[in-house]
Amino acid sequence: MKKEKSCGAIVYRQRDSWVEVLLICHKNGGHWAFPKGHVEKGENEEETALREIKEETGLKVKLDTSFRHVVAYSPKPGVLKDVVYFAGRLSGGDQKAQVEEVTGIQWEPPQQALSTVTYENDRETLRAFLRWWEGQPPVK
């Protein structure tokens, strides 16, 4: 069985007492999910997540690796893929979709995002993020 690995993040921004998460529409398949991509040779998980977020969205984030959620699935016969997600707080950049891979970018409140994301494993990742988020101390 061939193994593949991708890394990304639930990118979020806080607005006073509420939070929004970033969703992207992937050109390949048209599904709504979170920014992520394949680990390149010599990269660690965090480097991959930061690079992919910047490439796909133009945004910079500060990763919080205390949230780490792994999804395993088989994208095609004979292939097992792990996707590692971190939490990524927006820190800068200019939002711009990578035309080769992304057809849309939008910010949504988490409850709305649960309806927008296409796949159940992404909904479970978002629910895990929300459980983590609720346990975080307030931002000052």
Side-chain angles (χ1 to χ4, degrees):
M1 174 107 18
K2 181 180 175 192
K3 297 273 290 180
E4 293 181 356
K5 186 176 193 180
S6 289
C7 299
I10 307 293
V11 176
Y12 68 95
R13 63 184 180 189
Q14 189 167 357
R15 303 277 195 206
D16 296 319
S17 62
W18 50 279
V19 67
E20 290 179 316
V21 296
L22 181 77
L23 300 177
I24 64 172
C25 186
H26 292 267
K27 193 172 193 176
N28 184 11
H31 64 282
W32 285 94
F34 310 107
K36 68 175 184 333
H38 287 90
V39 176
E40 292 183 357
K41 187 174 181 154
E43 281 184 329
N44 64 34
E45 292 175 347
E46 294 88 354
E47 290 167 336
T48 299
L50 291 170
R51 177 183 53 75
E52 286 291 339
I53 293 162
K54 179 77 169 132
E55 285 177 2
E56 291 181 351
T57 69
L59 299 174
K60 295 178 184 178
V61 301
K62 181 172 178 8
L63 286 184
D64 189 331
T65 58
S66 69
F67 175 80
R68 185 178 185 277
H69 184 82
V70 181
V71 174
Y73 68 99
S74 178
K76 54 190 169 190
V79 176
L80 183 60
K81 183 173 189 171
D82 284 342
V83 182
V84 178
Y85 289 103
F86 301 105
R89 183 185 179 109
L90 178 66
S91 63
D94 295 316
Q95 184 173 305
K96 184 175 188 285
Q98 180 185 29
V99 295
E100 298 84 5
E101 294 187 32
V102 178
T103 61
I105 299 175
Q106 60 193 39
W107 292 93
E108 293 187 358
Q111 292 306 317
Q112 182 179 336
L114 283 169
S115 298
T116 303
V117 294
T118 305
Y119 298 117
E120 180 58 33
N121 62 4
D122 290 324
R123 282 189 284 280
E124 179 50 41
T125 300
L126 182 52
R127 286 191 286 268
F129 168 81
L130 291 173
R131 289 189 297 272
W132 171 84
W133 172 259
E134 290 167 1
Q136 297 303 300
V139 175
K140 295 180 181 182

